[in-house]
């Protein structure tokens, strides 16, 4: 680039979008209790500023991914869902609810599944259709 400045888009040291959110969620899932921003900062890779951690937590809270409760003068955060699979399912439901054409969205999603994933969806649907006494 002109002037010798670095290209931030192609900078290999720059974190991928969502990478820090994922690290924060992983730390929260690993914890047995809600954590404050300073506690999370200590649990995450070195070098993250407290303000960065606080910003990530605020964004996750705004998205409904974490809940916060008062702990003294600070907030303590905990995940809304119990694991990464539940988070992915929540995001999928959010996208489905966002659109006007639920059938079209599902049809396009299904059309792009691998044959292994199609088999898995069929098995899961069959399992969920069984009477609860048989499960």
């Amino acid at each position: 680039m002109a002037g010798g400045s670095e290209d931030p888009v192609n900078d290999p040291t720059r974190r991928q979008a969502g990478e820090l959110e994922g690290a924060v969620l992983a730390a929260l899932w690993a914890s047995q209790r809600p954590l404050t921003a300073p506690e999370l900062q200590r649990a995450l890779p070195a070098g993250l500023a407290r303000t960065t951690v606080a910003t990530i937590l605020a964004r996750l809270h705004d998205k409904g991914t974490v809940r916060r409760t008062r702990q003294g003068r600070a907030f303590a955060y905990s995940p809304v869902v119990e694991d990464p699979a539940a988070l992915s399912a929540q995001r999928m439901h959010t996208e489905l609810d966002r659109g006007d054409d639920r059938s079209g969205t599902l049809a396009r999603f299904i059309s792009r599944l691998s044959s292994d994933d199609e088999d898995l969806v069929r098995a899961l649907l069959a399992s969920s259709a069984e009477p609860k006494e048989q499960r």
Side-chain angles (χ1 to χ4, degrees), residues 11-134:
D11 182 357
T13 62
R14 196 165 167 88
R15 292 182 182 91
Q16 292 285 334
E19 182 180 328
L20 289 177
E21 287 184 2
V24 166
L25 285 168
L28 289 171
W29 282 318
S31 175
Q32 298 301 309
R33 62 181 179 79
L35 299 176
T36 63
E39 290 170 328
L40 273 163
Q41 182 185 17
R42 288 190 293 274
L44 294 169
L48 285 180
R50 181 191 55 79
T51 54
T52 301
V53 174
T55 298
I56 294 164
L57 287 168
R59 288 181 181 160
L60 289 170
H61 181 262
D62 289 346
K63 292 177 183 179
T65 307
V66 298
R67 70 178 60 85
R68 66 183 180 195
T69 54
R70 269 282 174 209
Q71 187 172 334
R73 293 175 36 194
F75 284 109
Y77 295 84
S78 58
V80 171
V81 295
E82 63 274 5
D83 58 35
L87 178 61
S88 293
Q90 178 187 37
R91 288 177 175 160
M92 292 168 75
H93 280 285
T94 299
E95 289 303 315
L96 278 174
D97 293 342
R98 194 175 285 167
D100 293 333
D101 185 7
R102 193 175 190 93
S103 176
T105 301
L106 284 169
R108 283 180 176 76
F109 177 78
I110 290 168
S111 72
R112 297 189 65 190
L113 292 175
S114 69
S115 59
D116 288 344
D117 285 342
E118 283 182 27
D119 292 343
L120 179 56
V121 168
R122 283 187 183 95
L124 290 168
L125 288 170
S127 172
S128 69
E130 292 177 8
K132 293 187 184 212
E133 302 85 42
Q134 293 180 354

